[in-house]
Amino acid sequence: EVQLVESGGGLVQPGGSLRLSCAASGFTFRSYNMNWVRQAPGKGLEWVSYISSSGSTIYYADSVKGRFTISRDNAKNSVYLQMNSLRAEDTAVYYCARDGYSSILFDYWGQGTLVTVSS
Amino acid sequence: DIVLTQTPLSLSVTPGQPASISCKSSQSLLHSDGKTYLYWYLQKPGQPPQLLMYEVSNRFSGVPDRFSGSGSGTDFTLKISRVEAEDVGVYYCMHRVQVPRTFGQGTKVEIK
C-alpha cells in the first residue's frame, strides 16, 4: 500500500525556518517524481515545488522561490522541504504528493502537516 | 501563469440527479506533444485531495464510472451522472501544460 507521511510542521515566528519531511513507503520511491502542495486555511490548493525522481530537475512556485528548497534522499525514501524566511502567508497545510507513471499526476497524497507562521 | 476558472463555485444537488462543473483556462491546455493535460481532483471533508480524472477524460483507478470528463483547448467539464452522498466535497481542476501547475478555485458540492 502506498503511504506518504508528512512531519515537521508547527508554529514558527515570521522570518523563521522549518524543515518538512515526507516518508514514503509501499512503492519504489526512487522511480517517482514528488511534489509539495499547500492549502491555506479555508482556501484552495497551491502547488509549491517539484523534484524529479533523480533529483536533477527541480521547480518552485514564484511565491516560494529563493526561500524554500526541495530535496530528496532515495536511500531513505524521503522528500524534504526546507522553508526559510517564513511569512504569515505561508501558513497552510503542506501535502506531499506523488506523480504517478506517464501523465498521471498527484496520484497519492499524504495527510498533510500544518505550518503556522505567527508571532 | 495559466488561470483556471471554475463555475459554479458551489452546487447543491439532490441524490440521484446529475451535476456538472466547468473549468475554463486562460490558455489552451493542448501540449506540443498532442496531449491535453487537464486533471480533476476531489477533496472530501477533512481529507487530502484524491485524483479523479487525468488527461481530460481518463478515470483514475477506482473512480466510479458515474464520473466523466470532457472538453478541449480551454473549456472543460466534469460531469457526475447520478450524485451520491459520498461525492460531497470540493472539486478542483488543475493543468500541467507548463510550470507552475495551477488549480482552479474549487467547486463545493453539497447534497440537498
Side-chain angles (χ1 to χ4, degrees):
Chain A
E1 178 193 5
V2 172
Q3 286 198 339
L4 299 171
V5 180
E6 302 94 338
S7 60
L11 175 63
V12 61
Q13 292 188 338
S17 298
L18 274 180
R19 187 193 194 211
L20 305 184
S21 299
C22 171
S25 60
F27 64 100
T28 306
F29 180 73
R30 64 180 181 271
S31 298
Y32 290 84
N33 305 326
M34 299 296 295
N35 300 265
W36 288 96
V37 178
R38 69 184 180 183
Q39 186 170 36
K43 301 297 184 182
L45 301 170
E46 179 188 16
W47 169 82
V48 172
S49 186
Y50 160 98
I51 186 167
S52 62
S53 56
S54 66
S56 60
T57 301
I58 285 173
Y59 299 117
Y60 297 101
D62 285 346
S63 57
V64 306
K65 202 173 293 182
R67 300 186 300 121
F68 290 11
T69 302
I70 192 171
S71 62
R72 65 189 295 159
D73 186 336
N74 286 343
K76 294 184 177 179
N77 291 344
S78 294
V79 60
Y80 308 99
L81 188 67
Q82 177 67 43
M83 304 186 297
N84 298 331
S85 303
L86 283 161
R87 306 166 179 166
E89 55 264 35
D90 296 318
T91 294
V93 173
Y94 285 74
Y95 296 103
C96 169
R98 187 186 86 164
D99 281 348
Y101 280 122
S102 186
S103 58
I104 295 177
L105 305 183
F106 299 160
D107 61 346
Y108 287 93
W109 299 64
Q111 289 298 313
T113 187
L114 176 62
V115 172
T116 303
V117 184
S118 174
S119 54
Chain B
D1 296 358
I2 292 176
V3 176
L4 299 180
T5 302
Q6 291 182 229
T7 54
L9 296 183
S10 65
L11 203 48
S12 185
V13 187
T14 300
Q17 292 301 302
S20 179
I21 300 170
S22 169
C23 177
K24 294 186 185 296
S25 175
S26 60
Q27 299 177 37
S28 175
L29 300 186
L30 176 62
H31 194 270
S32 55
D33 65 7
K35 295 182 179 181
T36 300
Y37 293 110
L38 187 281
Y39 299 77
W40 290 97
Y41 299 86
L42 165 60
Q43 186 172 29
K44 296 183 178 181
Q47 295 185 21
Q50 59 188 77
L51 175 63
L52 293 177
M53 314 290 296
Y54 62 97
E55 289 183 43
V56 182
S57 59
N58 296 286
R59 277 187 299 275
F60 184 55
S61 174
V63 175
D65 61 7
R66 64 179 180 274
F67 290 91
S68 64
S70 63
S72 63
T74 60
D75 289 358
F76 303 92
T77 302
L78 177 71
K79 291 183 179 177
I80 311 172
S81 59
R82 294 172 306 278
V83 172
E84 297 187 5
E86 66 180 22
D87 301 334
V88 299
V90 181
Y91 291 77
Y92 295 93
C93 57
M94 187 199 77
H95 80 86
R96 65 139 274 190
V97 172
Q98 62 187 49
V99 177
R101 302 176 189 182
T102 55
F103 292 88
Q105 324 96 298
T107 295
K108 186 174 185 179
V109 172
E110 299 176 324
I111 297 294
K112 280 184 184 175

